[in-house]
Every structure is written in structure tokens, then in C-alpha cells.
């Protein structure tokens, strides 16, 4: 055995798991270990803590620790060998979509050209308070709701839940949405998107979302909420998009500039 090819990492203070969570403990542990691998804390060649150490550090049974390690191995992230432990494997860099904060319409057009979309559901329903507020409608107003999954090189990268006012949505049907980009359909319906406001945050994958994105329940996701407006300033689309952070990156270039209160960081125009 070439000892120089291996390294053993002493476990840092782990985040305690939540027994009250609907996400099983082995999946919570699996997500934490995967995050530590993705962050580089456990690099290629590193031998992970064993079942006994994980069960002690995270307060779970050895069966739970074993299942988490076994699933990491099934996912191709580690290799388990008797007498040699669980070793992190080298991984080829995955393709990823990179987008910027500005140039949103151009970014969406680029994504439509490089990815494929699958329609999971399409329906009309009465809007709850949050959706009605986002679309500036009365509570209970009818809206179109669609759920789509966008894939990159055959791998699911985003889970898109979209709401439109009913009169806007009825300009097209499910078959059109399954084959044509939403922005194109809105334009054809006489509601071309002229502006949008979005927020970016982080969330955890619920079981149904995790299944659609082929990740573990409780895995971290990038969440984008966006309200798009037409040229007459009408809110015509509200979308909640959940992205796999390994396949979707938001980038921003910044410049340090002098300000009245000292140097400030400002986004460069045309960030990409």
C-alpha cells in the first residue's frame, strides 16, 4: 500500500442531525458528508471517518452511518474497501450552466438553447395569498400552474414551478408549453417580458423535488424567485426555480471603487 496516496482527516465539529425532521437521519448524514466532499474538506484520496466515528459524532446508530456511506459509494463519490476504509474518489468536472445577475433575458435564452425541458404538470387553480400578491391579483383568482424540470446533458438541473394569470395562460396549452419556451409563449400571447425582479436564496430539497432532480431529500438547492412584468408593467409570470448548485452557478464581477464613506464594491456592467 502506498501510504503517501492517502490522507486521513480528523472530523470537525459536525452539525447535529434533526430526529424530528421528515428527512431520514441517514439522508441527513449523507447530505452533510456530500457537502463536506463538495466543499473540498474531504478531498480526493481522503479516508472518511468510519462508521463508529460517524455514529459517535453525529449521534446516530452504526446502521445509519453505514447506510449513508454505502449510498455515497453507490453515487460514485467514494470507494469502500475492507481494511482500508472509505476513500473519496476523483471526479470529472461536471458541465454546469453559468449565469449572471444582470442580462437575465439573455441568460434565459442561452439556457433554452443548451438545455431540454420536461413538463411534469399543468393545471388551473385558485391562487393563494402569496401567489395572488406576487401576480397582483385578488385572492382566489384563477391562475395557471405548471411544473417543469430542465435537464443539462440529460441530467436534471432545475425544478421550475410557474404561475401565470389565467387570461395570460389560456393563450396556450400544455402541448405548447412542453415544446416551446415560456418567454416565447408569453411574447406570442402579446405579453412580452420587459423587466423582472428576482431574489436568490438557499433551501433544502423536499422529497418530491429531490426525486425530480435526482438528489437526496434534504440536499441543498439554490432557490430563485422571479416576478416578470410586461411592457405595460403588468405582472405576467411568477416563478420559483430550484437549481442543483453543482449544475447552476451565478457569477458576478465586481470592482472596488472610491465612495464618500470609503472604498465600495460595485458590480461591473455586463457581468457574465
Amino acid at each position: 500500500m502506498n501510504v503517501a496516496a492517502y490522507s486521513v482527516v480528523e472530523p470537525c465539529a459536525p452539525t447535529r442531525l434533526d430526529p424530528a425532521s421528515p428527512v431520514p437521519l441517514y439522508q441527513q448524514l449523507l447530505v452533510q458528508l456530500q457537502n463536506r466532499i463538495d466543499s473540498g474538506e474531504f478531498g480526493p484520496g481522503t479516508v472518511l471517518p468510519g462508521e463508529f466515528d460517524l455514529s459517535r459524532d453525529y449521534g446516530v446508530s452504526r446502521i445509519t452511518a453505514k447506510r449513508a456511506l454505502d449510498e455515497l459509494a453507490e453515487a460514485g463519490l467514494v470507494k469502500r474497501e475492507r481494511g482500508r476504509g472509505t476513500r473519496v474518489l476523483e471526479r470529472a468536472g461536471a458541465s454546469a450552466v453559468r449565469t449572471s445577475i444582470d442580462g437575465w433575458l439573455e441568460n434565459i435564452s442561452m439556457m433554452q438553447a443548451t438545455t431540454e425541458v420536461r413538463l411534469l404538470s399543468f393545471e388551473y387553480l385558485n391562487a393563494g395569498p402569496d401567489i395572488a400578491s406576487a401576480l397582483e391579483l385578488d385572492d382566489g383568482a384563477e391562475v395557471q400552474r405548471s411544473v417543469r424540470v430542465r435537464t443539462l446533458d440529460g441530467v436534471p438541473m432545475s425544478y421550475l414551478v410557474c404561475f401565470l394569470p389565467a387570461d395570460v395562460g389560456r393563450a396556450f396549452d400544455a402541448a405548447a408549453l412542453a415544446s416551446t419556451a415560456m418567454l416565447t409563449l408569453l411574447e406570442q400571447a402579446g405579453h412580452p417580458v420587459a423587466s423582472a425582479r428576482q431574489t436568490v436564496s438557499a433551501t433544502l430539497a423536499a422529497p418530491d423535488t429531490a426525486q425530480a432532480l435526482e438528489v437526496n431529500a434534504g440536499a441543498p438547492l439554490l432557490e430563485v424567485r422571479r416576478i416578470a412584468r410586461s411592457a405595460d408593467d403588468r405582472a405576467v409570470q411568477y416563478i420559483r426555480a430550484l437549481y442543483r448548485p453543482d449544475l447552476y452557478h451565478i457569477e458576478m464581477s465586481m470592482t472596488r471603487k472610491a465612495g464618500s464613506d470609503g472604498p465600495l464594491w460595485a458590480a461591473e456592467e455586463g457581468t457574465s
Side-chain angles (χ1 to χ4, degrees):
M1 173 180 173
N2 182 3
V3 177
Y6 295 83
S7 62
V8 179
V9 172
E10 293 296 328
C12 63
T15 301
R16 302 298 290 183
L17 308 183
D18 181 7
S21 170
V23 178
L25 288 174
Y26 83 89
Q27 287 190 337
Q28 293 184 48
L29 177 55
L30 172 62
V31 168
Q32 290 215 24
L33 293 174
Q34 183 173 345
N35 288 345
R36 295 173 75 177
I37 292 172
D38 291 341
S39 70
E41 179 183 346
F42 293 151
T46 299
V47 177
L48 297 184
E51 296 169 12
F52 175 81
D53 291 328
L54 290 174
S55 64
R56 177 197 63 205
D57 295 339
Y58 286 93
V60 297
S61 68
R62 290 192 66 172
I63 293 176
T64 296
K66 180 179 184 302
R67 183 168 182 182
L69 292 172
D70 286 344
E71 296 220 359
L72 280 178
E74 290 179 10
L77 299 179
V78 302
K79 182 176 182 179
R80 305 202 70 195
E81 298 177 287
R82 186 179 299 276
R84 301 175 73 178
T86 302
R87 179 170 49 87
V88 179
L89 298 176
E90 289 274 5
R91 285 186 289 169
S95 299
V97 169
R98 287 177 168 80
T99 185
S100 62
I101 295 296
D102 60 348
W104 171 71
L105 291 176
E106 292 76 7
N107 293 330
I108 294 297
S109 298
M110 176 273 295
M111 190 175 298
Q112 291 167 353
T114 58
T115 63
E116 297 181 353
V117 71
R118 177 164 50 97
L119 182 64
L120 299 185
S121 69
F122 182 93
E123 61 184 332
Y124 284 85
L125 44 76
N126 296 327
D130 291 346
I131 304 304
S133 176
L135 290 174
E136 299 172 358
L137 302 171
D138 294 331
D139 286 357
E142 188 179 33
V143 294
Q144 180 198 98
R145 178 182 183 270
S146 62
V147 180
R148 294 167 293 156
V149 170
R150 191 171 291 280
T151 61
L152 176 66
D153 298 330
V155 180
M157 63 165 289
S158 63
Y159 183 87
L160 312 168
V161 183
C162 182
F163 297 89
L164 307 178
D167 66 299
V168 175
R170 291 197 186 281
F172 57 87
D173 58 15
L177 183 57
S179 60
T180 307
M182 176 71 78
L183 289 181
T184 300
L185 293 174
L186 289 172
E187 184 173 355
Q188 293 173 349
H191 305 283
V193 171
S195 63
R197 183 176 182 84
Q198 69 180 16
T199 61
V200 181
S201 58
T203 189
L204 301 177
D208 57 340
T209 307
Q211 182 177 14
L213 290 177
E214 298 180 4
V215 298
N216 296 295
L221 298 175
L222 188 66
E223 179 181 48
V224 176
R225 294 178 183 257
R226 181 167 56 242
I227 299 173
R229 311 184 78 88
S230 58
D232 59 358
D233 201 36
R234 181 186 180 186
V236 294
Q237 181 194 46
Y238 172 62
I239 187 169
R240 179 177 184 246
L242 300 172
Y243 295 95
R244 285 177 48 168
D246 58 328
L247 297 178
Y248 185 81
H249 303 158
I250 293 179
E251 299 180 347
M252 175 181 288
S253 296
M254 304 186 73
T255 302
R256 200 167 186 228
K257 299 180 178 181
S260 58
D261 297 325
L264 300 174
W265 288 102
E268 294 181 356
E269 294 184 4
T271 297
S272 61

